[in-house]
Amino acid sequence: MSETHVKGASVKTAHQDLHSEQGALRGEHPGRARNPVIKVADLAWLEFEKPDLDRAEVFARDFGFQISARTEHELWLRGTFAGSPCMVIRRGRTSRFIGPAFRTAERSDLDRLARATGMTVRDADVPGGGGVVDLLDPSGFPVRVVHCGEELPELPGQQPLPLNTGTARRRANATQRPPREPSRIQRLGHVVLETRVFARALDWYLDTLGMIVSDFLFLDGQRDRGPTMAFIRCDQGSVPADHHTLAMHLGPGTDYVHSAYQVTDLDSIAAGGEYLAERGYQRSWGIGRHILGSQLFDYWRDPDRFMLEHFADGDLFSCDVEPGWAPMSTSGLAQWGPPATRDFLGASPSPQRVRDVVQALRGENEMDLARLLGLMKAMNS
């Protein structure tokens, strides 16, 4: 692992002590494209379909979203930060994840992307208007790349509680009583996807959207076959960006895993979690602090069984931080917190999961028996 030396002192990199000492080995994936088509600025929103928009709205408010628009057929959710909405839910026959939308900083990026992919720029059917290019990633997820015509204004947010820490005494003659209320979502942070064609999908996001890898994970004894998970961020040059805006891992299915939404602080996570528990929602895993990305986390299931995460205090990396490499393991998920649950890991067998495994092993993709056994081993390590 490389180090930066300042005035004779050895300064540890952001990845020191979190990954293998060697970092990337010769010939391994560089984690970025040399000449990407464009560089997206951030996630814009996620798109879902659900049959019951009323039930979806109740959970959305309980989880901490604000409603930016509602029609008979669409529900747009937002956070308190200015910018684009976090999520659109359209009325559909079944509950399903459609795909992500990424935001460009410049309208001209859409023209360049359209020329390179043979697509067209069309008017965006979103509040505030704008332009959009519709793509399909190698996994089969529809991917929208948008430039929004109008940003949503900032809304009042939750203020972080002043903390007394050691000699830093910020609060005197006052108590701490965080209200039992929904965590107030600030913004969409990231989405995690499972794919049978991990290497192809990874290269597509790097080559087409200009994203870069923060961390690679590989299976024990199979590093020579390449990584099986990547935490991927937007390349904003010297401006630090979220450790991951997109994460993908190899698996037997092509599925949404979870999405994450930033809140103010640990008290917001905890008090909001108590509010959700009192209303009968299922916690999937938490509260804890991740290793890769360092986020404080708390995972919940909505009434349609989609997993959503409250997070706070995540890592921010500029473009000069190279990818880290580490073995994939359940024990490597958190610095502290309760053990990862079977629900979070997707380890509870279901008929659909069995069908996914059978189809993956029979199909032309990157899943084979060695990969499957390696993933099962990592789940229990």
Side-chain angles (χ1 to χ4, degrees), residues 101-112:
F102 291 87
R103 177 178 60 82
T104 64
E106 303 292 338
R107 175 62 173 75
S108 59
D109 289 333
L110 295 185
D111 299 319
R112 186 162 60 255

Side-chain angles (χ1 to χ4, degrees), residues 280-298:
Y281 297 110
Q282 178 194 345
R283 174 179 269 128
S284 181
W285 182 35
I287 299 172
R289 184 182 283 277
H290 281 305
I291 293 178
L292 302 183
S294 302
Q295 299 95 337
L296 295 162
F297 65 81
D298 196 19

Side-chain angles (χ1 to χ4, degrees), residues 216-289:
F216 281 123
L217 299 182
F218 57 88
L219 294 176
D220 184 38
Q222 299 185 36
R223 182 167 180 169
D224 60 327
R225 296 189 62 183
T228 50
M229 185 166 187
F231 295 85
I232 310 164
R233 69 187 185 274
C234 295
D235 182 358
Q236 297 188 16
S238 60
V239 178
D242 287 338
H243 172 271
H244 57 285
T245 299
L246 169 68
M248 292 190 302
H249 69 79
L250 178 65
T254 301
D255 297 309
Y256 163 96
V257 179
H258 76 259
S259 51
Y261 304 87
Q262 181 175 290
V263 298
T264 303
D265 57 13
L266 180 58
D267 279 285
S268 177
I269 291 175
E274 291 298 308
Y275 184 90
L276 288 169
E278 288 172 351
R279 278 149 185 79
Y281 297 110
Q282 178 194 345
R283 174 179 269 128
S284 181
W285 182 35
I287 299 172
R289 184 182 283 277

